[in-house]
Amino acid sequence: MALKVLSALDAAKIQLYHFKAIIIAGMGLFTDAYDLFCIPPIMKLIGRIYYLDHHNSDKCSVMPKETQYKTTPTAVVSTLVSIALLGTAVGQLVFGRLGDRAGRRRVYGLSLGMMVLSSLACGFSICKTRNCVLVSLGFFRFLLGVGIGGDYPLSATIMSEFANKKTRGAFIAAVFSMQGLGILASSIVTMVVCRIFAVSSNEAKSETPDEADLAWRLILMMGAVPAALTYYWRMMMPETARYTALVEQNVVQAAIDMKKVLDVPMSEIAEDSPIRLKPPALPHPSYPLLSKRFLRRHGVDLFCCAATWFLVDVVFYSSNLLQSQIYHRFIKDNNDVNGYKLAFKVARFQAILAISSTIPGYWVTVYFIDRIGRVKIQMLGFLFMALVYFAIGIPYKYYWSENISVGFMALYSLSFFFSNFGPNTTTFIVPAELFPARFRSTCHGIAGAVGKVGAIIGTIGFFWASRNEKDSGKPNPVRMTVALVILGVVCLVGLLLTYFLTRETMGRSLEDNEIYEDELIYNT
């Protein structure tokens, strides 16, 4: 016989607090996307300010008319992205474990606080020399990554434990979809800031004035605003009833906490015999994390979640290698265009891509996730991503390398659409549903950290594949062909792993998986 408070959670109608929780939990993912996608235009500004074609490039002085601008080296961009991803992996492991040991609520505010302070600190990289700016920016982006990483397992777990079983997938997907709004927000903020600075500048339009050094700092700092606005509400959230009942073994307090946020009569959630804390239908796992018993019961699920997350992040972050080619064709990085205009064009391109493919992909998932299931969506996404990369990659050397057309852009947009209407979203959802409450946050953090290792590999692949041909300014077509075909193969491997190993969680209580596993041993 299941606890009444858990049954009430599974059957609860959609209420205002569910939508409030989506916004509160989603601000971490919003900040994650904002800080990731504001980097490309910021790197254009930094290139204009700190990378100059003369020997005194470390000096931020008034630039002579004959100064020739350079772009920020690909290795520097990849390093800054990789540092943030490394911090994210660390944060997922540390905060994921803390979420199960100390409680979701107790560490939830800490991760958001780290994001707010680190975003502000990125803007206060007070150095004026290139090396000092890049080192300090990298350090604060690592700390920012730690905060962002902590938000992944905590947000997914909290939303899964608050939601009912009928619409749980849609709620978790809605939290993750805040990334799309973060991408769009970063582009809008960048365009607004660059336009304001450009209008207020009296410098010749072919030059990038010294004030541009303030512009990119302001863009980074603005990412802290939405997260800071939700900090109070995050601290006011009660502990999830599932954690209180199943991990802390306090059923009475679980009912009280649930009553605070959901409009459910106390008679429906209070136990007739509150002293009975461990009913046979919900045995509390006594085995430790990563023990033989844990691996026997949940090892395949953990491997599958981590492996598919790894594979999709390799592909998702490697897609940046296509952007380098697209920027080259549609956004001319000439010396007669100052940094404001260049950053504005990059941000505008990202905004168009977000509106046309990224955001729709998230919300199509929200609509279908509880109708056709996680496994089918993940397989569909992997399949179509593979087809897209093969369609771009196989003829790339002979056609796409010289003909970036509407067809290329349509295929490129589809890769983002099916990533989000597919494994990029489902790999965030499934780990929050498969594991017992005692290990849920930790296992989500492990899977996410492995995924970020794949993301780091993707950025290295981006660096390798986007190396320019000598004196041509274009990526090497052979390297691009090989890279794109490899990405297609990676997607097919993800498809096979999903088909053979991923268990469907749609329409099932979070406790169903735990009951199933424990009953196998309880009955033997």
Side-chain angles (χ1 to χ4, degrees), residues 23 60 99 106 205 239 293 349 366-367 395 400 415 432 497 512:
I23 297 174
C60 187
R106 291 173 184 167
K205 67 179 183 178
E239 184 57 82
R293 292 180 64 187
F349 176 84
V366 171
Y367 182 81
W400 297 121
S415 70
L497 280 177
D512 285 347

Side-chain angles (χ1 to χ4, degrees), residues 48 58 90 99 135 142 146-147 195 203 260 267 290-291 359 367-368 388 474 486:
R48 283 292 196 261
D58 276 355
V90 173
V135 170
F142 175 82
V146 173
R195 181 55 59 89
E203 298 288 337
K260 291 179 182 177
S267 60
L290 300 182
S291 63
I359 294 176
Y367 182 81
F368 283 109
V388 167
K474 297 185 298 183
I486 289 175

